Amino acid sequence: MLEKTLRMNYLYDFYQSLLTTKQRQYMELYFLDDWSLGEIAEEFEVSRQAVYDNIKRTESMLEEYEEKLRLFSKFEERSILMKKLKTAIEKGATNQSILIIVDSLERLD
């Protein structure tokens, strides 16, 4: 569950501008503020099922956006390559080794 929450938080960070106001509010309360479905339903005066359905649809939308745009995947890959680059520089790697990592970073975009 924690891994899913973390992933949804990242996807939300990348794609929130593509969501409606209500979708953003529900996602923020549920994933960022840790509200229960019942608490959100009470706040918006809707059924718990309506909140659940909205969150599930929004999760699916975020996953579709990621599948098409790959912003989060590229972010993860970039982070890994940046760590490799830092380690290579700290260990005095050859220019050729460093250039290979830099080339990989450039190919992400």
Side-chain angles (χ1 to χ4, degrees):
M1 180 65 177
L2 182 60
E3 188 173 313
K4 179 185 177 187
T5 299
L6 185 60
R7 179 173 175 78
M8 281 299 124
N9 285 333
Y10 272 114
L11 294 181
Y12 178 78
D13 284 345
F14 283 107
Y15 303 113
Q16 66 179 297
S17 62
L18 301 175
L19 303 176
T20 67
T21 300
K22 184 178 280 189
Q23 288 170 325
R24 284 195 304 270
Q25 290 172 327
Y26 284 9
M27 294 298 283
E28 284 176 15
L29 292 172
Y30 189 71
F31 284 104
L32 300 176
D33 298 338
D34 202 29
W35 283 31
S36 70
L37 296 175
E39 291 170 322
I40 299 169
E42 188 177 311
E43 178 73 19
F44 288 91
E45 298 178 353
V46 296
S47 70
R48 184 182 177 284
Q49 186 64 44
V51 173
Y52 176 82
D53 290 343
N54 186 298
I55 289 172
K56 288 299 169 192
R57 272 193 315 274
T58 304
E59 287 176 353
S60 293
M61 288 174 65
L62 292 173
E63 291 292 353
E64 285 178 31
Y65 293 146
E66 174 59 16
E67 186 177 315
K68 292 175 183 168
L69 301 172
R70 296 191 64 241
L71 296 178
F72 178 54
S73 298
K74 288 179 182 180
F75 168 77
E76 288 183 311
E77 291 173 36
R78 193 173 288 110
S79 295
I80 290 167
L81 288 169
M82 291 300 286
K83 286 178 186 174
K84 284 183 180 180
L85 182 59
K86 183 178 178 183
T87 301
I89 291 170
E90 288 172 349
K91 293 187 175 189
T94 65
N95 287 345
Q96 183 63 30
S97 298
I98 292 171
L99 287 174
I100 290 170
I101 298 170
V102 170
D103 184 55
S104 297
L105 280 167
E106 288 175 338
R107 282 185 278 135
L108 285 176
D109 298 323

